[in-house]
Amino acid sequence: MTGTLAAVAAGTVIVAVVSLVTWLWPDQCQEGLEAVDGECVGVTDRAFEVKDPETGKLLQEIEKQNDRVRDKYESPSDTPYVRVALKMPFTYDDTSAMTPDMIRRAVAGALAAQQEVNEKAAPHLQLLLAPDGKDLDKWLPVHERLSELAREKENPLVGVAGIPSSTSETREAIDDLSKRKIPTVGPTTTSADMNSQYFFKTSPNNREFAEALKQYLKRDEHGAEGRRPERGFLLYDRQATDVYSKNLRKVIDEEFGKTWGLEDSSAPYLGVTGNKKGIPRRFTGAVGKICRGPDYDTIFFAGRDQDLPAFVEKIADSPCGDGRKLRILKVGIGLDPTLTSEETRLNLLDANARLVNASSVDTSWWRGGEAPLGVTRFLREFRGFEDTYKLGRRSLDDGYSAMYYDSVQILADAVDYSFDDLNKGHTGSPKIPDKDLVYDTLLDPSIDEDRCDECLRGAGGRYGFGFERSGQNQQWSVCKPVPVLEFSWDTGPDPKSVDPLYRTYRGTDPDACPRE
């Protein structure tokens, strides 16, 4: 592979890459990049052409930030900087794991973190853009270039943020990055088996989401006590290549299967994410089975949010008609705006149903509700984006902006801690942390009862990654809040959070985690 970066004068400028979902011959990719199965992939600090104009504007702002960082480094102030790569799809089609809205909001969250870092004292941050294909499967040439950048001495690459989804391709990618010893932070990865030595996750995993739902079911008036087990029903995505949905189904079976009688009470459907042949989102059979069943009223949904509005619409069009109240239990980073639209509210009314979501964020945090301190820090940067860029209705509610902000911020915080320690008592040119020191720093914040001095105060709460119970957390966040949100016609236009608040690996005891 030819190099993507070209040194110009005293600084370094990274050539741009055109990343379109069209067939490309190799010579159509700009110098230093290559076409892989019709897509240009690589690493750049420049904005590049994308289908979505608002995403394009955000990339242009990242380019401006990168230029300012380099200019300050080349100026008499000689302000040091490091690099973090935002590795994710910037393109999409109807079967992609990330929708255009998700991509746009994710980039906005990462930009908010970069702006905040660069407003503070050095070291500053260049945010490199690392497109690896719409299906996240064209990562090998990207990783090769990232390895080269990580070996640089003056302005090294210290980590990767942005692996957004749990698929067989991303599982291979995180293993490869671990072999290269590059710390990587997944902002929205939740499959509990997405584990690798150098892979950190800011969101709860599916098993921790399930623990939060257990707490909800214990306190809910229709809880498991006294319930006939057969009243639970599992609806699951049968896509064989979707690691997320497969893991979620496994977790639900293990955590709820026996109590709720799910072994003989389930139905598959074909989700839209992936390339499996067939007609996606066909729910007629599942709805019929639910309505003919023995008073099923609790539906465990093991699929992606993109598919759920179609199911709610179907059950609204063909309601059971026997007066039963349905609740649909799901997990997710947040609540996608399609799930809280007026159309969905009306469909939930017709279906006599409510959504219950174990979430990585609480939508009340940006609507004046009690929120972690890090949310204020995040909103200070993000609020201006809502006027500048068209981020869509309820742009924060799906959690993508918040968790992408956290994924970049946690790497930047590790750089800050490492930089301070390296330069205590040091005179002369400052020493710059590398990826190995950043990795060690990410592991440092082991939570000691209610104390964690180096835990992230992020948009998703206060949490750290230090080994919990002899490493059983496998770089999943510890003490991460997991709000449970209800949404129905009765809640009004906004979801409502339900007490008690569960925190990853610590339960519902408010004294088991650091206080804000």
Side-chain angles (χ1 to χ4, degrees):
M1 172 183 175
T2 58
T4 331
L5 307 181
V8 176
T12 301
V13 176
I14 305 174
V15 301
V17 47
V18 177
S19 181
L20 299 173
V21 182
T22 53
W23 186 259
L24 299 167
W25 296 104
D27 61 359
Q28 290 179 271
C29 295
Q30 295 194 9
E31 182 182 357
L33 301 169
E34 57 188 279
V36 180
D37 296 334
E39 296 184 68
C40 286
V41 297
V43 182
T44 175
D45 72 350
R46 321 307 298 162
F48 50 84
E49 185 177 355
V50 291
K51 291 198 295 185
D52 177 58
E54 296 305 312
T55 299
K57 292 177 185 177
L58 289 161
L59 298 185
Q60 290 170 9
E61 185 57 37
I62 289 174
E63 176 182 315
K64 292 177 184 177
Q65 285 282 326
N66 290 338
D67 287 346
R68 292 186 196 110
V69 168
R70 186 176 55 254
D71 289 346
K72 286 185 178 180
Y73 176 70
E74 296 173 355
S75 73
S77 66
D78 193 24
T79 306
Y81 70 91
V82 297
R83 295 175 172 132
V84 166
L86 181 62
K87 192 175 90 77
M88 57 177 280
F90 296 89
T91 55
Y92 54 87
D93 62 16
D94 291 341
T95 66
S96 300
M98 291 189 78
T99 66
D101 285 340
M102 289 176 180
I103 293 171
R104 189 183 315 130
R105 293 164 184 159
V107 174
L111 172 59
Q114 184 191 23
Q115 285 190 174
E116 182 181 323
V117 171
N118 292 337
E119 289 165 359
K120 299 185 298 185
H124 287 168
L125 176 67
Q126 275 199 339
L127 189 62
L128 307 184
L129 305 171
D132 56 356
K134 69 179 182 64
D135 295 320
L136 306 101
D137 57 348
K138 300 169 181 62
W139 47 262
L140 183 56
V142 178
H143 290 192
E144 289 174 349
R145 190 61 196 138
L146 294 175
S147 291
E148 295 175 12
L149 291 168
R151 290 193 291 268
E152 291 192 2
K153 298 299 183 184
E154 289 188 355
N155 311 113
L157 177 91
V158 296
V160 172
I163 292 181
S165 189
S166 307
T167 67
S168 55
E169 291 81 11
T170 54
R171 177 180 281 161
E172 293 172 358
I174 63 172
D175 285 342
D176 184 75
L177 286 168
S178 284
K179 290 176 182 176
R180 299 171 190 270
K181 297 185 178 181
I182 298 176
T184 303
V185 183
T188 54
T189 301
T190 66
S191 177
D193 54 5
M194 287 285 287
N195 299 311
S196 200
Q197 183 180 355
Y198 281 72
F199 188 48
F200 298 81
K201 287 78 65 172
T202 58
S203 287
N205 62 40
N206 289 338
R207 198 166 298 278
E208 291 298 301
F209 279 135
E211 289 295 328
L213 288 177
K214 279 185 182 179
Q215 298 300 319
Y216 167 84
L217 290 170
K218 284 180 182 178
R219 52 82 47 202
D220 187 72
E221 62 180 351
H222 301 296
E225 292 79 10
R227 170 184 299 280
R228 295 201 309 276
E230 66 271 14
R231 291 178 69 180
F233 190 90
L234 172 62
L235 179 64
Y236 64 92
D237 186 350
R238 61 182 174 87
Q239 280 278 18
T241 59
D242 190 350
V243 172
Y244 165 77
S245 295
K246 288 174 65 178
N247 177 256
L248 182 54
R249 180 190 176 189
K250 176 185 177 184
V251 168
I252 290 174
D253 277 334
E254 292 173 353
E255 300 294 335
F256 302 102
K258 184 176 181 180
T259 304
W260 294 84
L262 301 181
E263 182 177 351
D264 299 316
S265 304
S266 64
Y269 76 94
L270 183 63
V272 71
T273 299
N275 297 309
K276 187 177 179 66
K277 293 181 179 179
I279 301 175
R281 298 174 177 169
R282 298 180 74 177
F283 294 109
T284 302
V287 170
K289 194 170 182 181
I290 291 167
C291 290
R292 291 192 303 270
D295 298 329
Y296 295 130
D297 64 358
T298 299
I299 301 164
F300 295 86
F301 181 74
R304 293 185 179 269
D305 282 4
Q306 294 97 305
D307 301 324
L308 191 49
F311 171 69
V312 174
E313 180 180 9
K314 186 62 183 178
I315 205 164
D317 290 342
S318 306
C320 295
D322 55 8
R324 77 179 74 176
K325 294 181 179 180
L326 296 173
R327 57 184 177 184
I328 304 167
L329 271 58
K330 64 173 291 290
V331 307
I333 303 303
L335 273 174
D336 189 274
T338 60
L339 296 175
T340 57
S341 67
E342 189 65 16
E343 180 182 3
T344 300
R345 280 188 72 207
L346 289 170
N347 284 334
L348 289 168
L349 176 65
D350 290 342
N352 200 17
R354 55 181 162 148
L355 296 178
V356 180
N357 185 54
S359 176
S360 197
V361 297
D362 187 336
T363 58
S364 72
W365 289 348
W366 17 93
R367 296 196 176 92
E370 185 178 354
L373 292 177
V375 173
T376 302
R377 168 177 150 183
F378 162 63
L379 291 178
R380 190 182 301 119
E381 297 295 333
F382 189 85
R383 283 305 188 194
F385 292 177
E386 295 174 306
D387 297 327
T388 306
Y389 309 103
K390 296 177 182 177
L391 299 178
R393 172 183 169 273
R394 295 178 176 267
S395 58
L396 287 167
D397 283 8
D398 65 359
Y400 271 68
S401 291
M403 299 318 297
Y404 269 76
Y405 167 90
D406 278 9
S407 69
V408 174
Q409 192 64 248
I410 202 137
L411 286 165
D413 280 0
V415 169
D416 281 347
Y417 291 130
S418 304
F419 183 81
D420 290 344
D421 289 343
L422 270 178
N423 290 284
K424 282 180 182 176
H426 175 71
T427 58
S429 298
K431 298 178 180 179
I432 305 300
D434 61 10
K435 63 180 178 61
D436 299 322
L437 189 53
V438 166
Y439 172 73
D440 288 340
T441 304
L442 287 172
L443 292 176
D444 278 346
S446 295
I447 297 169
D448 181 15
E449 295 182 353
D450 64 347
R451 185 177 180 85
C452 184
D453 294 333
E454 295 184 0
C455 280
L456 174 71
R457 283 186 168 92
R462 191 175 184 200
Y463 54 92
F465 297 100
F467 289 127
E468 179 84 353
R469 295 184 307 191
S470 301
Q472 290 184 23
N473 66 307
Q474 294 185 300
Q475 281 81 290
W476 292 96
S477 53
V478 178
C479 279
K480 172 75 183 68
V482 191
V484 174
L485 308 176
E486 288 186 323
F487 181 73
S488 68
W489 177 259
D490 296 335
T491 63
D494 298 326
K496 304 298 182 186
S497 56
V498 179
D499 291 330
L501 177 65
Y502 179 83
R503 291 178 180 268
T504 53
Y505 298 96
R506 292 300 174 93
T508 58
D509 181 356
D511 296 323
C513 287
R515 295 185 179 275
E516 293 291 334

